[in-house]
Structures are given as C-alpha cells and as structure tokens.
Amino acid sequence: MSADDCGTIENLFHDVERFTTAHTILERGDVLDQSTLLIEGFVARVIREEGKRHIVALHVPGDFVDLHAFALKRLDHDVVSIGPVQIGYVKHARLEALIPKKPQLMRMLWFSTLLDAAIHREWILKLEQLSADGRLAHLIAETWQRLDFVGLAQPTGFAFPLTQAELADACGTTPIHLNRVVRKLRETGVADISRGRVSVLDHAALKDIGRFNTAYLYGQGPLHLD
C-alpha cells in the first residue's frame, strides 16, 4: 500500500478510540454502519456457546477487523480487544463513496477480507491435523509472520498479551493442558511465553511442530503475485 493509500485510509476515520483492558468492541447481531481498523494491539473474534468462549480469529495492527460488515451489516460473533488497543472507525458510507474514486484501494481492502478467510481455513485445518502443542506452535509462527509483514516482529519474538486461558480458547484445549504445552515448548528450547511476550528460541523447530507454511498468507511463496 502506497503512502497515498495509507493517507486515504487514515482520512476515512471519523473516530479513534483506545481501550486499556479487554473490551467488547461489538457484539454478535449488532446492526453496523461502520467498520473497525486495528491501529495498535490485538483483537479477537469470539463465539460464545454453551457457556464456553471460543477464539476463532486473531487480528494484528493494520487489519480491518470487521470490513465484511460493510456487506453483512450484522456479524455472527463478538469482536473483543485483548490487552491495550487503539482502533479507528470508518463509516460504511465513506467506504461506499471511495469505490468509484479509488477502485484499486478498494480491491486491496477486499483482498484483506479474503485473506481473513484463508486464515480461517488454515485454522480449521490445523485444528483437525495437530495436537495442542502443534496448534500453539502454529499460532505463534503465524502471529510472528503477520507481525513481521507490518514491521512489528523482532527476530527473537514479539509482545503478546494473551493469557493462557485465551490461548487455550484459540487452540481448542483447556487452560490446564495449555499450561503443559507452554512448559513443553519452553523446556525443549522452541519458544517461551511469559509476562506478555513470546520469545521464539528456534524458528525452524517452531514451524516444524506447527506444520507452518507461509503460502496461505500470500506474502511469499507459490500463491504470491507481484
């Protein structure tokens, strides 16, 4: 995205908001006339069913978290901040007015929504393929790669405010079992999760355990187009 495109997006914001703790940004079934862009921090898509919380997607800075609400108007899940976040709101009317003026930019925003779907498919696949340690390894590897795309990952790791309970909800396991998985990754010298940070100790081993291949993120590899 060019500097001009970035400026166009920033000028679309009609409001910017910060939350210092976990906050439900929007609830399932809300009628929406705006979409949310994540500027800082992490946001999760959450489905609550039968008394359980399921984290079905995780967003990093630069993501239009609920751009598909532009078409759907209601979502089938909650959107929840994790740790401190800053978000910007864009009215759907402003997006609609942008379509004839900036068709290439709108295509890029559409691409970002389709990329969300690709990530969803990969999460479903890994839930079927992998045990809990593989799922956690995949989540860490994917998050590091997505943050690296936007210049927010360090070679040794990244800030990560998710609690072990939230990680368990994202990996489809229990907090008790997730605690054992975290300990195993640390003791085998693969990764360490503590005090709001992930330290990646062995990238190759992490990707191997998580069966992580970057192709579905369309950054590099056989699916990449210049």
Side-chain angles (χ1 to χ4, degrees):
M1 187 177 289
S2 68
D4 180 63
D5 287 336
C6 290
T8 299
I9 294 296
E10 290 174 3
N11 289 333
L12 290 174
F13 296 158
H14 70 87
D15 192 19
V16 174
E17 198 166 13
R18 284 186 180 273
F19 299 108
T20 57
T21 57
H23 177 81
T24 300
I25 298 168
L26 62 89
E27 294 185 354
R28 171 180 176 148
D30 287 347
V31 178
L32 304 173
D33 65 352
Q34 64 185 17
S35 287
T36 308
L37 190 141
L38 179 58
I39 301 170
E40 296 176 5
F42 291 86
V43 161
R45 299 180 196 265
V46 174
I47 294 176
R48 292 179 173 86
E49 194 167 284
E50 297 180 352
K52 294 182 180 180
R53 177 185 61 181
H54 305 273
I55 293 178
V56 296
L58 189 65
H59 286 279
V60 303
D63 286 355
F64 244 122
V65 178
D66 55 350
L67 187 59
H68 49 296
F70 180 40
L72 296 173
K73 300 306 177 187
R74 297 178 191 264
L75 299 182
D76 61 352
H77 55 275
D78 298 341
V79 173
V80 179
S81 65
I82 297 178
V85 302
Q86 183 182 27
I87 55 177
Y89 299 107
V90 178
K91 290 289 187 182
H92 291 162
R94 291 189 176 184
L95 289 172
E96 190 165 2
L98 196 65
I99 294 173
K101 298 175 184 177
K102 293 273 189 177
Q104 181 62 19
L105 177 56
M106 292 305 297
R107 179 184 178 278
M108 294 173 70
L109 295 179
W110 185 24
F111 171 87
S112 74
T113 304
L114 296 176
L115 183 59
D116 287 346
I119 294 171
H120 278 305
R121 288 190 290 272
E122 193 72 10
W123 276 38
I124 292 168
L125 179 64
K126 296 312 176 189
L127 281 171
E128 291 291 328
Q129 285 183 330
L130 302 176
S131 59
D133 55 342
R135 295 174 203 161
L136 179 59
H138 186 273
L139 177 61
I140 293 171
E142 178 188 272
T143 305
W144 185 92
Q145 185 63 71
R146 292 173 68 189
L147 289 171
D148 188 56
F149 283 154
V150 293
L152 295 176
Q154 299 171 333
T156 56
F158 52 93
F160 202 48
L162 274 75
T163 65
Q164 289 199 6
E166 289 164 338
L167 286 171
D169 291 341
C171 294
T173 188
T174 65
I176 293 174
H177 187 52
L178 195 282
N179 182 267
R180 289 195 287 265
V181 169
V182 169
R183 185 170 65 248
K184 179 180 177 181
L185 290 179
R186 181 176 63 250
E187 291 175 349
T188 54
V190 177
D192 185 25
I193 304 174
S194 63
R195 291 186 287 276
R197 180 174 176 82
V198 170
S199 297
V200 180
L201 309 174
D202 188 332
H203 277 275
L206 184 72
K207 291 178 180 178
D208 184 59
I209 294 169
R211 295 175 67 174
F212 178 72
N213 185 314
T214 62
Y216 71 99
L217 296 175
Y218 288 80
Q220 294 295 333
L223 302 180
H224 178 70
L225 289 174
D226 293 327

